[in-house]
Amino acid sequence: MNYLIVSTGRSRSGVLAAHLSTLGCGEPNEFFEVARFDVLNENATIDSVKDALEARRSNGILGMRMVWSHVRAMHECLSIGIKEFTDTCLPDTRYIYVERDPWRQAIESSLQDAPDKVPVKKIKRRVAQIIIGYQAWDDYFTKHDIAPYRIRSEDFQTDPNAVCKGLYQWLGMEYPSEIKLDASIFDDALTTHEVVEKWYNRCLGNLSRLLREE
């Protein structure tokens, strides 16, 4: 079985991938992240990529995580799009689509480079990129008549076992109910940063004012 977790940056789809690895549902990771993996090296071809990914198969399952920066890196290296990649390397792939509140994603992403100062312009730019990224995934699904399994990260933030159990049912697999997933791994230094909630409320307040003006 092959599956692809798709989303945008800071959706916490990596947390879902970690849960699936804990459950033994493959060992999904962001194998096109060039800073961590050597799959997309200067000598890479579609065949070498396929072989490298096959080596990652676990329990007969090949899982992978992809955001738009990975798609861009793949296209620059191999000059192919997502559909050609999946048809070649992940045939009959199951798509798992993770979404999150884009404002939280944008604020947390903006804190990565300047943890002591929130760059307002960067938040605005980043939230627009995230919304466009989600729309682009929806356009891709529509174009290729794909029905992904949709997950809100806020749901596995609070109850990862319930979310993963539903995912297992969709995959047609028996859920290992004896394994208890740790919901606390959702939080990291960015999700718990003291200014996130402040700026989140400020962003929503600005939107509310705009709506009232309309």
Side-chain angles (χ1 to χ4, degrees):
M1 184 179 70
N2 302 316
Y3 67 82
L4 185 62
I5 302 172
V6 299
S7 193
T8 59
R10 286 303 298 178
S11 68
R12 310 306 280 142
S13 60
V15 175
L16 177 65
H19 286 321
L20 291 176
S21 181
T22 298
L23 293 167
C25 189
E27 296 181 357
N29 214 316
E30 45 187 10
F31 301 123
F32 285 170
E33 178 55 63
V34 295
R36 297 177 54 221
F37 296 97
D38 192 36
V39 176
L40 293 178
N41 56 62
E42 60 181 9
N43 299 314
T45 64
I46 188 65
D47 289 333
S48 70
V49 167
K50 183 177 181 180
D51 291 342
L53 293 179
E54 278 297 323
R56 307 281 180 174
R57 191 175 294 278
S58 176
N59 299 326
I61 301 172
L62 176 56
M64 184 173 171
R65 186 166 73 93
M66 181 178 281
V67 297
W68 284 109
S69 61
H70 304 150
V71 178
R72 185 162 53 249
M74 177 187 71
H75 181 71
E76 291 174 354
C77 181
L78 302 176
S79 298
I80 63 172
I82 307 167
K83 193 64 168 61
E84 183 178 350
F85 161 67
T86 55
D87 286 347
T88 304
C89 299
L90 300 170
D92 300 318
T93 193
R94 314 283 189 90
Y95 286 85
I96 302 168
Y97 184 35
V98 178
E99 297 176 278
R100 188 185 180 202
D101 184 322
W103 284 105
R104 290 195 182 277
Q105 289 179 252
I107 295 167
E108 291 175 16
S109 296
S110 300
L111 286 170
Q112 285 179 304
D113 298 328
D116 298 321
K117 182 180 179 181
V118 179
V120 181
K121 291 183 179 179
K122 189 172 183 180
I123 292 176
K124 293 179 179 179
R125 183 170 63 250
R126 183 66 184 130
V127 77
Q129 292 171 341
I130 291 168
I131 292 170
I132 290 170
Y134 282 133
Q135 185 59 56
W137 282 123
D138 277 322
D139 290 347
Y140 173 76
F141 298 143
T142 299
K143 179 179 179 180
H144 298 289
D145 196 25
I146 294 168
Y149 189 79
R150 295 174 180 268
I151 295 176
R152 293 289 303 181
S153 67
E154 289 84 356
D155 292 333
F156 63 77
Q157 178 180 9
T158 56
D159 196 345
N161 277 102
V163 170
C164 290
K165 186 174 182 179
L167 176 56
Y168 259 64
Q169 185 176 10
W170 180 74
L171 291 172
M173 299 172 60
E174 183 176 352
Y175 188 71
S177 56
E178 70 279 3
I179 298 177
K180 302 303 179 184
L181 299 174
D182 182 5
S184 69
I185 71 170
F186 188 95
D187 291 327
D188 62 6
L190 292 177
T191 59
T192 59
H193 196 287
E194 59 184 3
V195 305
V196 170
E197 205 64 32
K198 170 187 174 182
W199 277 93
Y200 181 74
N201 290 331
R202 182 174 295 185
C203 289
L204 293 189
N206 287 336
L207 286 175
S208 296
R209 281 193 292 274
L210 285 174
L211 290 173
R212 286 198 298 270
E213 289 173 5
E214 290 292 332

